[in-house]
Amino acid sequence: MKRPSRRRFLAGSAVTAVGFAGVTGGSYAQQLESLDIDVPDGASGALALVPSESAADADYRTVILADVTDAENEDEYGYEVREVLRSFDDLDVDDVSYVAVGHSMDPYGQVSVAAGSFDRPTPGEGTDEEDDWRLAEVSDRAYATADDRAAVAHGEEAAALRNATVDVAAGDAESFFTGCDDAATAFELLGDQPLVYFAPDVEQMGFPGISSDTLDAFAAGFADDPNRIEGTVENRYALFPADGGDLDDETAETIVSELEPGVVAEIEVDREDGLIHATVVAEEPPKRDREAAPDAQIVAEVDHDEGVVNFRHRGGESIDTDDLELWHDGERSDDGPAEAFAVFEEGDVLTVATDPLATVTLRWFDEDANAFYTYASYLVGRDAFEVDHEFDAEHLEIEYVGDREADPSKLSLQSYSGVDVGSLDGFADEYDVLTAGDAVSIESVGVGDRVSLELDVPNEPRYAPTQLVSYRVRPPRLFLRRYRGRGVIAQYHDEHERDAGAFRLLIEGEEAETQFSDLVDSLGPGDEVELGDYDIGTTLTVEWTEPDEPVEVGDLVVRPDIRLSMEYDGEDGELTVVHDEGDVVDADTLELRSGGDPTAVQPADEYDRFEPGDELTVEAEPFVQGTLSWTTADVDREYTLGRTVTAADSFEAAYDADAAEVELAYTGEQQADPARLGVQRYAPSTRPTVNDPQPLFAEEHETLTTGDAVVLEDVDVDERINVVLSDDEGRYRHHVFNFTPKPRFAFSFQSRDGEIVAVYRDTVDRSSAEFRILADGDATAVQPADEYDELEGGDEIDLGAFETGTELVVEWTVPDDPVEVSDHVIAPDAAFEVDYDAEDEALTVTHEGGDELAAADVQLYVQPARSEPVVWDDDDTIEEGDSRTVELEDDPRFVMVVFREREVLHEEQIRD
């Protein structure tokens, strides 16, 4: 039986993300139009928000698109999608149509976008408003949310990614797909599959038998979550052959078999215009089963002097060595553990003689159960090379610094320049035997280029490390952003520490009086430097001066930091803009527009300087977009400071459960043009692409007046109904009212002074008698109807105190069979400490204090080292001082301690 791939490219982390803002022209709408691929609108809307690799200054390992239109719950399409949806408490999977994810390895991280039909989520504490986006930060996560779109960034540079996503939406940064033809082709070809993975860089994936000489990129379209294959599935693949590569059908089948996460039953290969398309029928694969494997702690240690790797059994259960496999340089060793031990137990050491360049793996495999678990892997020689790069000369040198003579024929050297991938003359072309000091030189390695040195051995078993060196050339990265109360902050993002004197700050093109070297001695990863505050409109530039020709590495136009309120008075038909707080701005740099046209009265007509407390009132029709923009003669672009849609709150809906009808009524006091409105319906099982907005109001009414309504028939309780606003060209752009018969958000729960408060979150006012709150199946002492007749957004109900683990459920009682619309588990109050021992590759989580927990209720999510959660224990309890150690195969980046798979008790990023 073929042992299939352990789907390396499916194990990307969903708790880290990265992105960097780039600058280009156009708007988000224009980028959507330029995304010339035949995929559903919701899919293109999500894909178009993923920053390009050049804008992100990062290499995407994978880009993922998930169609969750028909998803019954957030778990259907795997960890990546689940974590995106769980990042927003007030985002219901029913309201999301597509999720797009860009996963980068250099730097490590992930950007995730959800698109659908929903009101703007409001995670955490808002930090800023930009155009129609709300910016927020929670712990290490950064959010950008708007109506129908939401992005979350995790990891090292979350705030930078959040800013990049907003820039993409504004057309100020390039979308990934506008500059990647292979990606556009892949998603057009496979976009009808529920889950699509695109890998733009074969080298990053590390699959054996798949080299950049043969393949540039590939994509996979899965019929279901590839991590949970059950029965038989049909998956599809697109292979993009490298120029000049010899990719015959046999090789293509080998590659597809390597990529397929299931056990291949059938493969059909087709070709068209140089592209290879394969359809695979696959069956359920063997599973990684940590719980089935003996619970042993095994570490791999190298002894360079002796030329061996020692697999040391440090504790835990004994292992029958008939179930242990030793893999050496990609092949299963005949001289395995069974030759040395009958049982491998605590204190035993399995010694494996290796070359100074080698990869070894020890794993457990149960053929009858078709299950495996890798205890330890080690890449010998991973510290045996040093890299030196001369930026101006574009000269890179890799030097061997190992103590033992090595075989250079085991090494593969490759270069990556843009989309061009090629093999280089390596150590084997220069030396018969490698000794310390031997080196190879590579010329013309410029900005954006990368060089990789790997062991040229089969990558078996999966996850066995083979990459010895990966060096990418790029200037250091500095991001300038203005923060209220702190001025302009320079955030340094580079893996190398540099002398502060290597950076020069320019103001309007002239060298600033105060330089980085006056403020700090050096800049290291994550450092921030406060540069002071500057006048609005000032252009700041940062240059890196080490090259002969200085390189610009950061810039900023200081724009106004203003918090505006924009309110529409439906009775008088007037839009009022109020400067609530922030900067004082020259009024002649501001322009107020209604429906895209400048209003009759402008800020400069009323004020010389627009400052807190100032306001401007203008006439405006219902259902037009009002914007306040800022620009100056010296800045060749404008910035939107505030935006609103007039009369957006002028609708109400009523649901008749017996008749299955919804009445949508206009409640505004001004006459309105119904031609500007469309009504969009999403049945639970219908794709958005077949639900174009219908002009129902225009069909019923020539002019809208108060009380005018339309009736929708045969409405399912889960159906989504949206009133959307069209622009002058008849395209529907903004949702002005959203309704589902079943409450969309219902309630959230907050803990205050040991008691639980239920907060009504739905955007639609409803009778309190429609809701019932249960605690572990029994009605709570206090019910919504005890406090209110009608519930409005923000209404609170004090429910009292509950024991840890109690499950609170809110039921909507309108249907004959009540429907659960909210739930919450009372999480314990417990503190944890995380420690990672990189040498032993062991992560330990310790209960530092607080409530006692049932061990079976606690899971550890370790990313990216583990694709599945680790249960603390099946029984017993966790008390202060108790710990759980997890042996890892890869370095972790992020750890979460989770209660009952739902409530996060502790989260921590593991830094190098």
Side-chain angles (χ1 to χ4, degrees):
M1 180 188 69
K2 177 184 182 294
R3 294 179 182 175
S5 163
R6 286 307 300 160
R7 51 199 179 274
R8 292 195 58 166
F9 74 111
L10 304 180
S13 168
V15 293
T16 54
V18 67
F20 308 97
V23 177
T24 178
S27 66
Y28 176 67
Q30 290 171 335
Q31 291 211 35
L32 276 178
E33 291 172 3
S34 68
L35 189 56
D36 187 21
I37 56 176
D38 185 16
V39 298
D41 291 342
S44 60
L47 292 174
L49 280 177
V50 179
S52 67
E53 288 190 303
S54 60
D57 195 16
D59 296 321
Y60 287 123
R61 189 170 187 250
T62 53
V63 177
I64 305 168
L65 176 68
D67 177 358
V68 298
T69 307
D70 299 330
E72 296 182 0
N73 59 67
E74 59 192 23
D75 296 317
E76 280 196 27
Y77 294 124
Y79 188 79
E80 294 94 343
V81 175
R82 179 173 68 245
E83 286 305 308
V84 174
L85 299 174
R86 285 187 176 182
S87 295
F88 302 91
D89 291 336
D90 48 358
L91 188 61
D92 193 320
V93 66
D94 292 341
D95 301 317
V96 179
S97 55
Y98 287 87
V99 170
V101 178
H103 178 209
S104 169
M105 292 297 291
D106 183 17
Y108 192 90
Q110 187 166 294
V111 50
S112 305
V113 177
S117 176
F118 47 82
D119 293 333
R120 182 173 70 179
T122 56
E125 294 295 328
T127 60
D128 201 356
E129 296 277 346
E130 189 161 332
D131 295 337
D132 56 348
W133 291 86
R134 175 184 183 271
L135 309 184
E137 296 181 11
V138 179
S139 186
D140 73 325
R141 306 178 186 185
Y143 295 86
T145 60
D147 286 346
D148 307 327
R149 293 171 287 163
V152 58
H154 300 275
E156 299 168 356
E157 296 163 352
L161 171 60
R162 185 267 314 280
N163 299 338
T165 305
V166 175
D167 284 347
V168 169
D172 300 329
E174 185 181 44
S175 168
F176 173 65
F177 295 90
T178 60
C180 185
D181 292 339
D182 287 351
T185 301
F187 282 92
E188 182 170 12
L189 182 64
L190 304 178
D192 58 341
Q193 291 286 86
L195 192 61
V196 181
Y197 285 74
F198 173 66
D201 186 346
V202 168
E203 186 270 341
Q204 286 206 49
M205 306 310 296
F207 282 101
I210 307 179
S211 73
S212 55
D213 292 335
T214 305
L215 205 63
D216 279 341
F218 63 83
F222 297 107
D224 208 339
D225 179 1
N227 292 304
R228 298 182 180 180
I229 294 177
E230 295 182 359
T232 301
V233 296
E234 183 176 289
N235 298 324
R236 290 161 44 204
Y237 295 85
L239 307 182
F240 297 85
D243 290 341
D246 183 15
L247 191 54
D248 55 26
D249 285 358
E250 182 179 355
T251 303
E253 289 187 10
T254 300
I255 290 174
V256 171
S257 297
E258 185 62 39
L259 298 176
E260 171 57 48
V263 177
V264 175
E266 301 176 20
I267 297 181
E268 180 180 342
V269 175
D270 297 314
R271 296 173 182 267
E272 183 176 356
D273 297 330
L275 175 70
I276 297 176
H277 180 215
T279 302
V280 176
V281 176
E283 298 173 349
E284 186 174 352
K287 297 189 182 300
R288 177 184 180 277
D289 193 341
R290 178 65 183 96
E291 299 305 318
D295 187 11
Q297 299 174 20
I298 299 173
V299 297
E301 304 164 339
V302 66
D303 186 332
H304 291 290
D305 293 334
E306 297 296 328
V308 298
V309 171
N310 295 315
F311 290 98
R312 188 181 306 277
H313 193 307
R314 296 179 59 190
E317 297 177 351
S318 301
I319 309 172
D320 188 335
T321 52
D322 288 338
D323 296 330
L324 279 180
E325 299 178 341
L326 175 66
W327 292 77
H328 190 175
D329 282 348
E331 296 182 358
R332 183 175 174 180
S333 175
D334 294 331
D335 187 18
E339 298 296 318
F341 306 94
V343 175
F344 195 49
E345 56 190 358
E346 184 174 356
D348 287 345
V349 178
L350 175 66
T351 299
V352 181
T354 74
D355 294 338
L357 305 174
T359 179
V360 288
T361 298
L362 184 67
R363 80 170 189 175
W364 171 86
F365 185 79
D366 185 335
E367 187 170 0
D368 293 335
N370 205 20
F372 71 92
Y373 175 72
T374 298
Y375 283 110
S377 291
Y378 199 92
L379 178 61
V380 184
R382 62 188 183 186
D383 301 319
F385 295 89
E386 292 183 353
V387 179
D388 180 66
H389 180 258
E390 296 178 26
F391 192 88
D392 289 315
E394 296 189 343
H395 173 90
L396 184 142
E397 183 177 88
I398 302 177
E399 180 184 354
Y400 178 65
V401 295
D403 295 328
R404 293 193 289 155
E405 293 184 347
D407 180 3
S409 67
K410 295 181 71 173
L411 298 174
S412 171
L413 187 64
Q414 291 184 314
S415 69
Y416 303 84
S417 180
V419 297
D420 297 326
V421 181
S423 296
L424 299 172
D425 292 339
F427 286 95
D429 299 291
E430 299 286 338
Y431 305 100
D432 295 325
V433 176
L434 274 187
T435 58
D438 290 344
V440 293
S441 297
I442 304 101
E443 305 299 333
S444 301
V445 185
V447 174
D449 296 342
R450 185 152 45 100
V451 174
S452 173
L453 181 68
E454 297 185 2
L455 281 183
D456 190 13
V457 299
N459 192 358
E460 292 285 349
R462 302 304 179 261
Y463 293 112
T466 60
Q467 189 174 80
L468 296 161
V469 172
S470 179
Y471 189 91
R472 183 184 180 196
V473 178
R474 60 186 177 196
R477 293 161 289 163
L478 271 168
F479 296 99
L480 303 181
R481 187 166 179 84
R482 185 181 181 223
Y483 291 90
R484 186 174 300 176
R486 296 182 63 193
V488 176
I489 306 296
Q491 298 172 324
Y492 181 77
H493 297 285
D494 197 78
E495 62 269 27
H496 304 295
E497 183 173 313
R498 301 179 190 270
D499 192 299
F503 299 93
R504 180 167 59 210
L505 176 65
L506 305 179
I507 301 175
E508 303 294 352
E510 300 295 331
E511 190 166 330
E513 181 177 341
T514 300
Q515 290 294 324
F516 284 88
S517 58
D518 298 321
L519 302 172
V520 294
D521 294 327
S522 62
L523 291 172
D527 285 351
E528 292 186 348
V529 181
E530 296 189 3
L531 300 178
D533 212 348
Y534 298 87
D535 293 337
I536 295 170
T538 302
T539 299
L540 305 178
T541 306
V542 178
E543 293 181 336
W544 180 43
T545 62
E546 284 188 0
D548 292 339
E549 292 293 331
V551 177
E552 183 178 312
V553 294
D555 70 294
L556 175 73
V557 175
V558 180
R559 61 175 179 171
D561 182 3
I562 293 178
R563 190 172 300 279
L564 297 172
S565 60
M566 304 181 72
E567 297 182 359
Y568 183 67
D569 186 332
E571 181 177 353
D572 296 328
E574 294 178 337
L575 173 65
T576 299
V577 180
V578 180
H579 188 318
D580 287 329
E581 61 176 305
D583 292 326
V584 177
V585 187
D586 288 336
D588 59 5
T589 64
L590 302 174
E591 184 172 75
L592 181 62
R593 301 187 187 120
S594 176
D597 299 321
T599 58
V601 179
Q602 289 294 315
D605 297 329
E606 301 289 338
Y607 305 99
D608 293 325
R609 304 268 283 170
F610 197 52
E611 58 188 46
D614 289 346
E615 63 180 58
L616 187 68
T617 298
V618 297
E619 293 183 357
E621 298 179 3
F623 310 128
V624 297
Q625 182 171 255
T627 59
L628 183 67
S629 300
W630 170 83
T631 188
T632 69
D634 298 330
V635 180
D636 188 24
R637 60 181 293 187
E638 68 175 31
Y639 298 87
T640 300
L641 303 180
R643 175 179 292 153
T644 191
V645 174
T646 59
D649 58 351
S650 300
F651 288 92
E652 63 182 16
Y655 176 61
D656 186 332
D658 295 330
E661 292 180 347
V662 168
E663 181 182 76
L664 294 176
Y666 173 61
T667 61
E669 299 180 63
Q670 295 290 314
Q671 289 189 346
D673 181 3
R676 293 175 177 161
L677 303 174
V679 177
Q680 197 170 32
R681 295 176 62 173
Y682 294 92
S685 60
T686 305
R687 292 176 179 266
T689 49
V690 301
N691 285 302
D692 295 330
Q694 302 299 310
L696 301 185
F697 282 99
E699 291 173 356
E700 293 287 337
H701 309 281
E702 292 185 4
T703 301
L704 279 184
T705 58
T706 304
D708 286 346
V710 295
V711 176
L712 284 64
E713 300 177 341
D714 299 323
V715 180
D716 188 273
V717 294
D718 290 311
E719 190 165 339
R720 290 171 289 163
I721 299 167
N722 307 316
V723 180
V724 294
L725 178 67
S726 68
D727 60 17
D728 294 337
E729 298 178 7
R731 295 174 300 183
Y732 293 98
R733 299 287 301 279
H734 302 282
H735 287 205
V736 295
F737 181 73
N738 304 303
F739 177 76
T740 56
K742 184 176 76 175
R744 299 178 64 193
F745 305 129
F747 290 86
S748 65
F749 296 87
Q750 301 177 5
S751 178
R752 300 178 188 171
D753 299 325
E755 297 192 343
I756 301 300
V757 177
V759 183
Y760 183 65
R761 293 297 189 189
D762 199 78
T763 57
V764 178
D765 297 348
R766 299 178 188 263
S767 169
S768 60
E770 296 181 4
F771 298 96
R772 177 172 61 214
I773 303 178
L774 307 176
D776 287 342
D778 297 323
T780 57
V782 180
Q783 292 292 318
D786 298 333
E787 304 291 330
Y788 303 95
D789 294 326
E790 186 172 65
L791 288 169
E792 300 177 356
D795 284 346
E796 298 183 351
I797 303 162
D798 295 329
L799 298 178
F802 300 90
E803 294 183 358
T804 296
T806 301
E807 183 175 15
L808 299 174
V809 172
V810 180
E811 291 184 336
W812 182 52
T813 61
V814 171
D816 292 336
D817 294 323
V819 177
E820 180 180 319
V821 293
S822 293
D823 66 336
H824 176 74
V825 172
I826 307 300
D829 181 12
F832 292 86
E833 182 180 77
V834 176
D835 178 67
Y836 176 59
D837 187 330
E839 182 177 348
D840 291 340
E841 295 183 321
L843 182 137
T844 301
V845 180
T846 304
H847 185 300
E848 285 292 293
D851 294 339
E852 181 181 292
L853 300 90
D857 288 339
V858 179
Q859 301 85 36
L860 308 179
Y861 288 79
V862 185
Q863 291 295 320
R866 290 293 186 97
S867 59
E868 298 295 331
V870 178
V871 178
W872 189 289
D873 203 349
D874 291 331
D875 50 33
D876 210 352
T877 58
I878 306 172
E879 301 175 350
E880 183 175 351
D882 290 345
S883 62
R884 173 71 157 93
T885 298
V886 182
E887 302 296 330
L888 302 177
E889 302 163 17
D890 300 300
D891 289 340
R893 292 281 181 167
F894 195 88
V895 180
M896 288 194 300
V897 183
V898 179
F899 180 72
R900 294 189 181 177
E901 299 183 352
R902 297 177 54 185
E903 301 297 326
V904 177
L905 302 179
H906 180 85
E907 53 186 337
E908 185 170 327
Q909 183 175 341
I910 308 297
R911 299 189 179 274
D912 297 334

